[in-house]
């Protein structure tokens, strides 16, 4: 009888450990998504800077923030550095995307192995069916300038 009781105690602990591992894995995946988004924003900022300074005279003065200090350089010196930084960011994003895909596969295998089902997906599907036509998200249109 004592062995039965200890077996019952172990099962919830095991389920709790699985739930904790699953939550940790989901958290790591979320961190990958947020880091990728952050770096993609930086890449777009680099693209804007490159687009703005590329047509300028290479000898024209240009200011660049280096380690929190504003440094005066020329367009000729700054443009290649910004392009290298952008390329480096794109490389990091590619690596993070690969790591994200591995994490997704790992989570999918973990879900299959431990028979994890997510209930939220069912309720979200019902919510989507109940939405009205005018409840679009993420679009804000201001008055036209005349």
């Amino acid at each position: 009888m004592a062995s039965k009781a200890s077996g019952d105690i172990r099962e919830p602990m095991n389920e709790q450990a699985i739930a904790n591992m699953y939550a940790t894995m989901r958290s790591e995946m979320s961190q990958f998504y947020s880091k990728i988004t952050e770096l993609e924003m930086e890449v777009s900022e680099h693209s804007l800077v490159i687009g703005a300074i590329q047509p300028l005279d290479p000898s024209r003065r240009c200011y660049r923030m280096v380690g929190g200090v504003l440094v005066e350089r020329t367009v000729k010196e700054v443009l290649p550095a910004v392009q290298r930084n952008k390329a480096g960011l794109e490389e990091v994003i590619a690596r993070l995307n690969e790591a994200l895909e591995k994490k997704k596969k790992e989570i999918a295998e973990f879900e299959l192995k431990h028979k994890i089902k997510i209930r939220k997906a069912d309720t979200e599907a019902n919510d989507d069916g109940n939405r009205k036509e005018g409840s679009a998200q993420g679009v804000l249109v201001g008055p036209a300038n005349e």
Side-chain angles (χ1 to χ4, degrees):
M1 233 178 179
S3 64
K4 238 184 184 180
S6 65
D8 290 344
I9 293 172
R10 283 185 180 192
E11 191 63 31
M13 288 175 54
N14 193 17
E15 287 178 8
Q16 186 63 40
I18 290 170
N20 288 340
M21 287 178 60
Y22 185 69
T24 301
M25 293 167 75
R26 298 280 297 193
S27 173
E28 290 171 1
M29 188 174 74
S30 176
Q31 289 174 352
F32 278 127
Y33 275 121
S34 64
K35 192 62 177 177
I36 288 169
T37 302
E38 176 187 334
L39 291 177
E40 285 175 343
M41 291 297 293
E42 285 192 33
V43 166
S44 78
E45 289 174 6
H46 279 67
S47 295
L48 287 172
V49 170
I50 290 168
I53 67 175
Q54 209 162 23
L56 300 177
D57 178 28
S59 62
R60 184 173 174 171
R61 277 192 298 186
C62 182
Y63 295 92
R64 180 174 183 220
M65 186 73 73
V66 179
V69 178
L70 196 60
V71 180
E72 183 180 336
R73 300 274 188 242
T74 62
V75 170
K76 179 179 155 185
E77 296 169 328
V78 171
L79 186 59
V82 174
Q83 290 170 332
R84 277 193 309 273
N85 287 350
K86 181 183 172 198
L89 287 171
E90 288 170 340
E91 187 178 316
V92 170
I93 289 172
R95 284 194 210 136
L96 284 173
N97 278 322
E98 289 173 11
L100 177 63
E101 291 305 313
K102 286 180 187 175
K103 185 57 73 176
K104 283 181 180 179
K105 287 178 185 175
E106 184 182 336
I107 288 173
E109 290 170 3
F110 192 80
E111 287 174 347
L112 287 174
K113 181 180 176 184
H114 297 286
K115 300 175 184 168
I116 296 173
K117 302 251 191 277
I118 300 174
R119 294 181 191 154
K120 247 191 228 180
D122 296 338
T123 59
E124 287 176 359
N126 290 341
D127 289 347
D128 288 344
N130 294 335
R131 284 199 178 148
K132 299 286 184 215
E133 195 175 314
S135 66
Q137 294 182 348
V139 178
L140 178 63
V141 179
N145 293 336
E146 294 180 17

